[in-house]
Amino acid sequence: MSFDSLGLSQELLRAVKQQGYTTPTAIQMQSIPAVLNGGDVMASAQTGTGKTAAFTLPMLQRVNDGAERQRTPRVRALVLTPTRELAAQVQQSVSTYGRYLPIRAAEIYGGAPMGKQTAILRRGVDIVVATPGRLIDHLERGNVQLGGVDILVLDEADRMLDMGFKPAIERIVKTLPAHRQTLLFSATFSGAVRGLAQRFLNAPQLIEMGGSNAAAEAVEQAAYLVDSHRKSELLSHLIGSRNWHQVLVFTRTKRGADRLAEQLERAGIRAQSIHGDKSQGQRGRALNAFKRRSVRALVATDVAARGLDITGLANVVNYDLPNNPDDYVHRIGRTGRGGDHGSAWSFVGGDERRQLQAIQRTVKADIPLQVLEGFEPTQRRRSGPPPSRRSGPPPRRPSAAAGRSTSSRGPGGPSGHSSRRPS
Ligand code: AMP
């Protein structure tokens, strides 16, 4: 199937073609016609599956059609996202895909000066992409009116709920017309997400993409058992010996992120950290340096990394395992995007085996625990089968996730890669 058959306008097809996309991803095939039809949509899709274009393209088309019919300027579409990074990325997609349309959009999030955002909102925009807290600040100051919104998008709804945005979303939705189109995208359909959908969506079309762990299936996964105090050394060793030019590393705490970035720098590896205590400017600069590859390792906490889209990122390291297995799925979804090859490496301290087991249950895959020669743990094991011993890169193994076929891979990738298009 090609993009031409989805009902998109020539302007949008031109922009899509310029991006080099030839075939719509599975979520795009289902979501684009459904959104163009005007009904509500509830879709389970990870980042990395092409979900941003799945709602942005038809949203742009509907906003443009509406704007052509009535010349009155007003906010016609509102996208709510959990983090600034995701808001900035969605806004980037809006401007990329909408480059041949006369549509103005604004990105509104905290950590950036109010003044500039206020000026943009007051000049008038067609689309607002916002994090809930900062949008409420602008609503309270009368900088923006949302009474003319035709389309509401709740992006990464599960994450917004996890981050405690439910009351803020409720407040914002109260300012919107009852008669509107609402689209909800979420990695998982938890009870809380379904509850949100019941409140805000009207007879939505359900789109479920091959279970909620699609991103996890597209990425090769490996785990190393290692003493916690030697994790930094193991990371430097892998970066050097496997010649990783760009690696995104997750730590559990902000202090841990700063400390690790310093340790890597001392080991001669250019590294920076991003987390919630850094200003938006600092986060943006670190991210850009990483994208330009002048920084080799970006060390991030979960919140800071939510929604990051780094084209061609090949390696993600879980330096600390997350307590919430859903965070693992989000983390590894930063790689293996748009059908690219991606690898996820987890460092498992003696006291983190339980988290690994929970993660394996969530991703429905066996992630074999291995020991790298020279990094044998000295801490006493608690439970579980003995890890296998490896001196080189781990072998391939069939993917346990969804029974997909394995593919060959280049040297240095973890085992269990299932080669597939994003779904
Ligand atoms: P998303 O899930 O929206 O974060 O998108 C993941 C990545 O896939 C982004 O880098 C997009 O640019 C890319 N992408 C989106 N749609 C397609 C497509 N149809 N073909 C190839 N790449 C795509």
Side-chain angles (χ1 to χ4, degrees):
M1 193 196 235
S2 76
F3 274 99
D4 299 3
S5 53
L6 295 176
L8 293 169
S9 68
Q10 287 308 316
E11 290 89 347
L12 290 167
L13 290 174
R14 207 170 138 206
V16 163
K17 209 166 165 193
Q18 269 184 7
Q19 283 305 103
Y21 306 164
T22 49
T23 334
T25 64
I27 180 79
Q28 291 164 0
M29 274 183 222
Q30 295 205 43
S31 164
I32 292 173
V35 178
L36 287 177
N37 265 337
D40 287 0
V41 168
M42 177 175 181
S44 74
Q46 299 281 348
T47 48
T49 56
K51 79 163 161 69
T52 315
F55 68 77
T56 304
L57 287 166
M59 173 182 80
L60 279 164
Q61 178 144 328
R62 285 179 62 75
V63 166
N64 189 54
D65 289 351
E68 270 176 12
R69 273 198 304 275
Q70 322 163 355
R71 283 278 149 221
T72 39
R74 58 185 165 89
V75 179
R76 291 162 194 276
L78 170 66
V79 184
L80 291 179
T81 72
T83 65
R84 321 158 192 189
E85 278 78 11
L86 189 58
Q89 258 166 230
V90 171
Q91 159 71 13
Q92 181 59 48
S93 295
V94 168
S95 71
T96 302
Y97 303 136
R99 60 162 57 113
Y100 299 114
L101 297 174
I103 283 178
R104 286 162 306 171
E107 53 189 330
I108 300 297
Y109 44 73
M114 284 289 280
K116 207 170 142 199
Q117 295 177 357
T118 303
I120 293 170
L121 288 172
R122 292 209 166 152
R123 269 203 303 276
V125 289
D126 305 286
I127 298 175
V128 170
V129 184
T131 53
R134 178 55 71 92
L135 182 62
I136 286 181
D137 290 346
H138 284 290
L139 280 168
E140 281 174 349
R141 290 173 199 205
N143 295 337
V144 62
Q145 274 75 43
L146 299 175
V149 166
D150 299 317
I151 305 175
L152 166 68
V153 183
L154 300 169
D155 192 14
E156 298 203 356
D158 52 339
R159 178 60 28 183
M160 286 202 279
L161 293 178
D162 285 352
M163 291 171 72
F165 283 138
K166 184 147 184 259
I169 296 172
E170 300 256 359
R171 272 185 72 182
I172 292 166
V173 174
K174 274 198 192 121
T175 69
L176 307 180
H179 183 73
R180 59 167 197 271
Q181 181 179 28
T182 306
L183 318 174
L184 181 150
F185 288 79
S186 182
T188 52
F189 281 170
S190 62
V193 171
R194 286 179 193 276
L196 196 71
Q198 256 168 10
R199 273 187 59 61
F200 299 138
L201 277 70
N202 181 17
Q205 178 172 336
L206 268 186
I207 300 177
E208 286 193 78
M209 303 313 309
S212 52
N213 296 312
E217 291 167 26
V219 175
E220 300 178 46
Q221 298 165 67
Y224 287 127
L225 186 65
V226 58
D227 284 340
S228 297
H229 68 273
R230 295 196 67 199
K231 283 185 174 183
S232 154
E233 205 186 322
L234 174 60
L235 180 58
S236 307
H237 169 79
L238 289 175
I239 291 174
S241 64
R242 308 227 165 140
N243 209 12
W244 292 345
H245 292 292
Q246 204 183 33
V247 55
L248 178 63
V249 186
F250 286 93
T251 60
R252 220 168 4 227
T253 65
K254 300 171 199 168
R255 268 199 58 209
D258 287 338
R259 198 168 42 226
L260 178 59
E262 283 161 22
Q263 285 167 334
L264 291 172
E265 283 277 339
R266 278 202 296 277
I269 294 162
R270 290 294 327 271
Q272 286 197 19
S273 59
I274 55 168
H275 51 66
D277 285 351
K278 301 247 172 172
S279 71
Q280 189 57 28
Q282 287 171 319
R283 284 156 72 162
R285 279 193 295 281
L287 184 59
N288 286 336
F290 184 60
K291 285 183 173 174
R292 282 197 315 272
R293 299 194 175 206
S294 54
V295 160
R296 206 165 168 189
L298 187 67
V299 187
T301 54
D302 286 293
V303 167
R306 180 72 43 194
L308 288 186
D309 184 12
I310 299 148
T311 308
L313 176 68
N315 289 291
V316 165
V317 168
N318 294 298
Y319 189 85
D320 300 314
L321 288 190
N323 289 328
N324 180 350
D326 285 345
D327 283 336
Y328 176 86
V329 177
H330 281 282
R331 287 178 177 192
I332 73 170
R334 303 305 105 211
T335 180
R337 294 164 76 79
D340 282 350
H341 173 91
S343 306
W345 312 76
S346 294
F347 292 2
V348 184
D351 54 355
E352 289 177 303
R353 288 166 161 250
R354 196 162 299 183
Q355 279 119 295
L356 182 68
Q357 283 163 6
I359 287 165
Q360 299 193 77
R361 281 196 297 275
T362 298
V363 300
K364 298 186 182 68
D366 174 34
I367 310 170
L369 195 51
Q370 304 157 33
V371 168
L372 199 67
E373 201 172 287
F375 290 91
E376 293 82 357
T378 52
Q379 289 167 1
R380 241 190 322 145
R381 288 201 306 111
R382 297 210 166 157
S383 62
S388 61
R389 182 181 281 263
R390 296 263 158 259
S391 55
R396 292 164 215 155
R397 65 168 176 80
S399 167
R404 295 179 192 275
S405 63
T406 51
S407 75
S408 61
R409 59 174 180 80
S415 53
H417 173 56
S418 42
S419 158
R420 58 195 293 270
R421 297 274 314 135
S423 57

